[in-house]
Amino acid sequence: AWHAYEDVPADMVAEESGPGAQNSPYQLRRKSLLQKRTVCPAKANMEGASTSTTDNFGHRAKRPRVSGKCQDLSAPAEQYLQEKLPDEVVLKIFSYLLEQDLCRAACVCKRFSELANDPIIWKRLYMEVFEYTRPMMHPEAGKFFQINPEEYEQPNPWKESFQQLYKGAHVKPGFAEHFYSNPDRYKGRESMLYYDTIEDALGGVQEGHFDGLIFVHSGVYTDEWIYIESPITMVGAAPGKVADKVVIENTRDSTFVFMEGSEDAYVGYMTIRFNPDDKSAQHHNAHHCLEITVNCSPIIDHCIIRCTCTVGSAVCVSGQGAFPTIKHCNISDCENVGLYITDHAQGMYEDNEISNNALAGIWVKNHGNPIIRRNHIHHGRDVGVFTFDHGMGYFDSCNIHRNRIAGFEVKAYANPTVVCCEIHHGQTGGIYVHEKGRGQFIDNKIYANNFAGVWITSNSDPTIRGNAIFNGNQGGVYIFGDGRGLIESNDIYGNALAGIQIRTNSCPIVRHNKIHDGQHGGIYVHEKGQGVIEENEVYSNTLAGVWVTTGSTPVLRRNRIHSGKQVGVYFYDNGHGVLEDNDIYNHMYSGVQIRTGSNPKIRRNKIWGGQNGGILVYNSGLGFIEDNEIFDNAMAGVWIKTDSNPTLRRNKIHDGRDGGICIFNGGRGLLEENDIFRNAQAGVLISTNSHPILRKNRIFDGFAAGIEITNHATATLEANQIFNNRFGGLFLASGVNVTMKDNKIMNNQDAIEKAVSRGQCLYKISSYTSYPMHDFYRCHTCNTTDRNAICVNCIKKCHQGHDVEFIRHDRFFCDCGAGTLSNPCTLAGEPTHDTDTLYDSAPPIESNTLQHN
């Protein structure tokens, strides 16, 4: 056990006077180890050794503690060596020992045990054998990892790692001859095996020379035939960044081939390259850096994988039962596909870096079904991940970004599951599902892609659920070309174009999403788009919350569409569909607009808070507007104009800050069985050549008139009930003719006629916010303009004896009472000093000159 002392210089042995001085170190050796102690077995290997050497490297009888020193010894030389020789000298002596001798020395006494476990000594031994500059821990089969010794919980990680790795064979070109030619130098390491090539080491495994742990040392190993058919463990061994220093390369065949029988094999911490001379030759199509075939499940760990061939892939996993674990690898800068999984292969692929590959970072095809977690897939020169031809897979927590094409592409019946990934900054789109692709995309972050965050087309039907889709340079989700899909519970916001776009016969289900703060519209359905759009919240978008156009027919149900900077829901250019049971509120423009041939069914919605009205139908718009509640809009609850002809049935139109229904500029429409009440202006205003039909409506409790008809408009009024309106029931301007049948006009407050009969100025009851209909005049003496109107009582009182002209019976407010004329009104009291003529009546249509004396 102390054979290394033969090499200790004489000046390293301190002289001692006294009775024991004549004893040589060799006498000490015999006394201490042969006579007084149980001999520690010189183990051929260090399997099972621990930091406590007495537990695993020999048993010794217990002896009493003597002030932390060894017990008194009979031989003075022995006592000197064990107790008094300085630590520095003992450590210098120990530094000449090999590992087994150190373990034996640790069995001598407590002091030797402490000194023989010195980390510096073990680090030197460790690096001599394994080359690692940080301990490589191997706590169990298939698990290797390097540690920082300063942060390790045990005092001597170098020794612990030495024990764990001790039984391996070593591939170290040129060293085997030196090792076997110097048996005395390496006495105690007879169980270590050294080979010049990897093929020789694999042959040693097959011949049973060792258990299969192979350390491949620094160097470049070229064109070795590495077919693995047994559960070997092959790990790189080098200083610094291990994988950079151990390079295994092939120029003709696949660099590594794992075949049936290689279950539980391990390859780690090395660079694996396939670098053919002819980069594009078709005969390289089946050659790869790593080829993993049927019924094998190796572990590939901390490897750098490079392939310069322009066909095939860097890593190919194929066949039933192929289930590798590939983790912490770098598959980058390849001139083909990075990782290819096909033909029912599976496997675990975790924490890999996959980047800058010429084709897809990952291909999954033909029922391949891997589990891919926490991979970083980026800067690819093609797509990031491509699943096609029934490819599947479970992709979890991957970071996929800055690929030239889509981050994730699904095609031809592929059906992957993608969860908790980040897919961003794609040079085209984020996710592209086409040609009958499927897939589940759940709880991902999809953002900042140049095109749409998600594209769905050509009869594809994925599930897009719980994702955040935001800040895209175009739209959020784009469904076209007969696309389908379930778009559910996503947060879609901040995109440059529509949050969701549906076109060309596509028919998705869109539900429970938040679509908001877009730089464009919320949902855009066009070119015969369809879809069921329900229970979404669409808000704060720059353009319309929902656009429906060009022959599209979606069903929008139970959505909340609110707080938009323009229109809530906009039907135009033959946009159709069903809008039912929605809450549509607080838009800067109207809640709903219908124009240019659009003919939607609008049922049971609540439409309120529009700054430009509730529903606007114009430019030949149509529509069935039924059973809605339309209230608290800043302008009319419903506007119908410019040759539009909708049908309104059973709506409740109330508490508007302007009128209930306003029809003008040739508007028509059938208004039937509506309740129109508590509006600030007329319940129904019909103007400018319009001709609606009003049937069986109840118009009541208005703060102005019930129905007003003006400006050459006509109407058919049948069986309506008009009651309890403040100004009166029905008002017809000069020149208006209507068809009336079975209407009931009753119990109105008739405030206008009462004011006239009391001699009051009509401004007294209207202020400048309403327009009572009555006779109005102009005063030439007071130089009033065509924009001014004066009520009959002010003509009689304030303008008595003036040159006045009767204009017509129509809607107006009195400018005399408003204080906008040169002479103050004597009927209205203090003037309001309001000079805003926006609310003045229209220019006269017919003129009669009268002189009142």
Side-chain angles (χ1 to χ4, degrees):
W2 291 71
H3 64 272
Y5 278 9
E6 296 169 359
D7 298 325
V8 177
D11 61 358
M12 290 301 299
V13 181
E15 295 181 359
E16 173 158 321
S17 60
Q22 72 277 10
N23 294 330
S24 72
Y26 301 101
Q27 291 173 323
L28 173 63
R29 169 186 174 193
R30 288 194 298 273
K31 289 180 181 178
S32 62
L33 294 181
L34 300 180
Q35 298 173 11
K36 289 190 173 286
R37 299 187 51 79
T38 302
V39 176
C40 294
K43 294 192 174 187
N45 60 70
M46 299 181 66
E47 180 181 15
S50 68
T51 308
S52 175
T53 57
T54 58
D55 291 342
N56 295 286
F57 291 88
H59 173 74
R60 58 176 173 160
K62 293 183 179 178
R63 62 175 81 183
R65 293 179 179 269
V66 183
S67 300
K69 300 179 180 180
C70 301
Q71 69 181 37
D72 291 339
L73 302 172
S74 58
E78 182 176 346
Q79 181 181 6
Y80 178 82
L81 183 58
Q82 293 190 25
E83 293 185 6
K84 297 182 180 180
L85 192 65
D87 288 353
E88 292 80 3
V89 176
V90 177
L91 287 171
K92 182 65 176 179
I93 295 168
F94 284 179
S95 70
Y96 290 93
L97 304 183
L98 299 184
E99 55 277 359
Q100 292 191 26
D101 294 328
L102 274 176
C103 292
R104 291 189 179 96
C107 297
V108 172
C109 66
K110 181 177 180 180
R111 180 173 179 240
F112 276 23
S113 176
E114 292 174 352
L115 294 175
N117 279 292
D118 180 72
I120 296 175
I121 293 177
W122 280 98
K123 178 180 179 180
R124 180 190 60 78
L125 282 174
Y126 183 87
M127 292 181 63
E128 177 185 308
V129 175
F130 299 106
E131 297 191 59
Y132 300 123
T133 48
R134 291 189 300 147
M136 176 73 76
M137 310 310 293
H138 178 39
E140 59 188 61
K143 187 172 184 179
F144 290 83
F145 58 90
Q146 287 189 290
I147 62 162
N148 291 319
E150 297 82 5
E151 300 173 1
Y152 196 60
E153 64 273 12
Q154 299 297 330
N156 194 349
W158 303 99
K159 179 180 178 183
E160 185 175 347
S161 179
F162 208 129
Q163 293 166 327
Q164 293 172 355
L165 306 180
Y166 193 66
K167 294 182 68 174
H170 298 259
V171 178
K172 197 171 184 180
F175 186 76
E177 182 178 359
H178 168 75
F179 180 80
Y180 293 117
S181 300
N182 294 277
D184 292 338
R185 171 69 181 85
Y186 298 104
K187 187 175 181 180
R189 291 182 178 170
E190 292 84 354
S191 61
M192 288 188 182
L193 299 176
Y194 282 87
Y195 297 93
D196 286 328
T197 68
I198 298 170
E199 288 182 62
D200 290 344
L202 292 174
V205 174
Q206 291 178 341
E207 294 168 9
H209 295 166
F210 63 102
D211 289 340
L213 174 57
I214 302 171
F215 294 97
V216 182
H217 287 261
S218 303
V220 178
Y221 302 80
T222 303
D223 289 339
E224 296 205 41
W225 198 73
I226 305 175
Y227 275 58
I228 297 175
E229 301 176 271
S230 59
I232 61 96
T233 295
M234 187 183 302
V235 60
K241 294 183 178 179
V242 180
D244 290 339
K245 307 288 181 60
V246 180
V247 180
I248 301 176
E249 179 181 80
N250 206 305
T251 62
R252 299 188 300 269
D253 298 307
S254 292
T255 311
F256 273 77
V257 179
F258 293 87
M259 305 178 69
E260 193 165 0
S262 62
E263 299 84 7
D264 304 320
Y266 177 96
V267 171
Y269 293 88
M270 58 184 64
T271 293
I272 302 170
R273 292 199 300 234
F274 178 52
N275 186 22
D277 296 329
D278 184 353
K279 312 296 185 189
S280 62
Q282 289 299 312
H283 68 271
H284 289 307
N285 190 44
H287 298 152
H288 317 271
C289 295
L290 285 169
E291 187 174 343
I292 300 166
T293 60
V294 297
N295 296 326
C296 57
S297 51
I299 298 172
I300 314 299
D301 182 22
H302 282 93
C303 289
I304 299 170
I305 299 170
R306 301 285 186 266
C307 184
T308 60
C309 182
T310 58
V311 294
S313 63
V315 179
C316 178
V317 185
S318 66
Q320 194 79 43
F323 196 103
T325 297
I326 298 180
K327 58 184 180 177
H328 305 294
C329 291
N330 186 314
I331 307 172
S332 301
D333 304 315
C334 301
E335 296 305 318
N336 48 19
V337 174
L339 171 61
Y340 179 33
I341 303 156
T342 186
D343 297 341
H344 299 271
Q346 297 182 22
M348 300 281 292
Y349 307 82
E350 298 180 334
D351 302 296
N352 301 289
E353 183 89 7
I354 302 173
S355 65
N356 194 36
N357 296 295
L359 299 180
I362 299 176
W363 272 16
V364 183
K365 179 183 177 182
N366 194 22
H367 303 282
N369 195 10
I371 294 175
I372 297 180
R373 284 195 172 99
R374 297 182 304 277
N375 292 277
H376 188 193
I377 305 164
H378 62 100
H379 289 95
R381 287 170 273 167
D382 198 88
V383 67
V385 178
F386 185 25
T387 59
F388 63 109
D389 288 352
H390 300 276
M392 295 183 287
Y394 185 86
F395 297 79
D396 179 14
S397 303
C398 297
N399 188 1
I400 304 171
H401 65 95
R402 291 180 173 84
N403 297 285
R404 189 179 68 84
I405 307 181
F408 205 111
E409 183 174 349
V410 183
K411 177 182 177 181
Y413 301 100
N415 189 19
T417 299
V418 182
V419 301
C420 300
C421 294
E422 291 195 24
I423 303 170
H424 59 100
H425 291 94
Q427 295 181 34
T428 57
I431 296 169
Y432 182 30
V433 188
H434 62 118
E435 295 184 32
K436 300 183 179 179
R438 298 177 63 198
Q440 300 79 45
F441 297 86
I442 303 169
D443 295 332
N444 302 285
K445 290 183 178 179
I446 304 164
Y447 60 94
N449 295 287
N450 277 348
F451 294 171
V454 179
W455 289 32
I456 303 168
T457 184
S458 51
N459 297 293
S460 296
D461 190 17
T463 296
I464 312 294
R465 191 168 185 270
N467 304 282
I469 305 170
F470 60 97
N471 293 350
N473 294 330
Q474 290 192 7
V477 180
Y478 183 23
I479 308 154
F480 65 104
D482 298 288
R484 298 181 65 195
L486 172 62
I487 317 299
E488 183 177 55
S489 302
N490 302 285
D491 191 7
I492 303 171
Y493 63 93
N495 297 288
L497 297 182
I500 296 178
Q501 185 176 165
I502 304 169
R503 63 182 280 248
T504 51
N505 299 304
S506 296
C507 189
I509 296 171
V510 179
R511 59 197 301 264
H512 298 160
N513 300 284
K514 288 186 176 181
I515 305 165
H516 60 100
D517 294 292
Q519 301 171 43
H520 196 268
I523 300 174
Y524 183 27
V525 189
H526 62 121
E527 296 181 37
K528 298 183 179 179
Q530 302 174 48
V532 177
I533 302 170
E534 60 184 14
E535 298 181 352
N536 302 283
E537 186 170 8
V538 184
Y539 61 97
S540 299
N541 294 289
T542 301
L543 301 182
V546 179
W547 293 18
V548 182
T549 182
T550 51
S552 298
T553 56
V555 175
L556 291 99
R557 186 183 293 128
R558 297 188 300 278
N559 300 283
R560 288 185 175 177
I561 304 167
H562 65 93
S563 308
K565 298 170 186 174
Q566 287 194 7
V567 181
V569 181
Y570 187 19
F571 296 91
Y572 70 102
D573 292 349
N574 297 298
H576 309 304
V578 176
L579 182 68
E580 63 184 15
D581 300 311
N582 301 282
D583 286 332
I584 304 169
Y585 58 95
N586 290 350
H587 292 91
M588 292 298 294
Y589 293 3
S590 52
V592 177
Q593 286 190 14
I594 305 168
R595 71 168 225 198
T596 50
S598 297
N599 190 20
K601 295 179 176 61
I602 300 177
R603 298 191 291 248
R604 299 188 302 277
N605 302 283
K606 291 183 179 181
I607 303 170
W608 81 92
Q611 297 303 304
N612 195 28
I615 298 176
L616 170 59
V617 190
Y618 67 111
N619 291 358
S620 303
L622 300 166
F624 291 87
I625 303 170
E626 299 176 333
D627 301 301
N628 301 283
E629 185 178 357
I630 304 168
F631 63 97
D632 193 30
N633 295 287
M635 300 182 72
V638 178
W639 292 59
I640 303 170
K641 67 176 191 175
T642 50
D643 301 308
S644 297
N645 191 17
T647 298
L648 282 75
R649 286 195 180 98
R650 299 181 301 278
N651 300 285
K652 292 187 176 183
I653 303 169
H654 64 95
D655 289 288
R657 287 170 269 165
D658 198 277
I661 299 175
C662 184
I663 307 168
F664 62 105
N665 288 350
R668 292 176 292 161
L670 172 62
L671 283 60
E672 191 171 60
E673 298 180 350
N674 301 284
D675 273 357
I676 304 168
F677 58 95
R678 291 174 54 89
N679 295 288
Q681 301 294 335
V684 178
L685 171 63
I686 305 169
S687 181
T688 51
N689 301 303
S690 299
H691 190 116
I693 297 172
L694 281 69
R695 183 181 296 132
K696 298 181 181 179
N697 300 285
R698 297 194 303 179
I699 305 166
F700 60 99
D701 289 2
F703 297 103
I707 297 175
E708 293 181 328
I709 305 176
T710 184
N711 285 347
H712 297 289
T714 61
T716 299
L717 308 179
E718 298 178 356
N720 299 286
Q721 298 179 42
I722 309 169
F723 58 95
N724 200 35
N725 297 287
R726 181 176 174 233
F727 286 179
L730 174 63
F731 292 84
L732 304 178
S734 300
V736 167
N737 294 302
V738 298
T739 301
M740 298 181 59
K741 180 181 178 182
D742 298 331
N743 298 285
K744 292 183 179 180
I745 303 172
M746 56 193 175
N747 300 326
N748 292 286
Q749 300 174 32
D750 298 326
I752 293 176
E753 291 302 327
K754 290 177 181 178
V756 170
S757 65
R758 289 195 296 263
Q760 292 178 320
C761 174
L762 292 185
Y763 189 81
K764 188 92 172 172
I765 65 167
S766 71
S767 183
Y768 62 89
T769 59
S770 3
Y771 309 91
M773 184 178 287
H774 205 266
D775 296 341
F776 72 89
Y777 299 80
R778 188 167 63 197
C779 179
H780 296 291
T781 303
C782 295
N783 294 318
T784 60
T785 70
D786 291 346
R787 297 285 294 169
N788 297 128
I790 304 170
C791 73
V792 62
N793 286 333
C794 284
I795 288 294
K796 292 177 180 179
K797 180 71 175 176
C798 305
H799 300 267
Q800 184 178 11
H802 290 191
D803 180 13
V804 297
E805 178 184 6
F806 172 71
I807 304 301
R808 65 181 184 272
H809 187 83
D810 214 332
R811 303 173 73 242
F812 73 102
F813 72 78
C814 180
D815 288 297
C816 181
T820 61
L821 304 182
S822 56
N823 296 319
C825 178
T826 61
L827 298 178
E830 291 297 322
T832 64
H833 301 292
D834 181 88
T835 59
D836 188 351
T837 61
L838 285 174
Y839 299 97
D840 290 354
S841 58
I845 295 173
E846 54 186 354
S847 177
N848 291 303
T849 301
L850 296 177
Q851 178 73 42
H852 285 267
N853 296 313

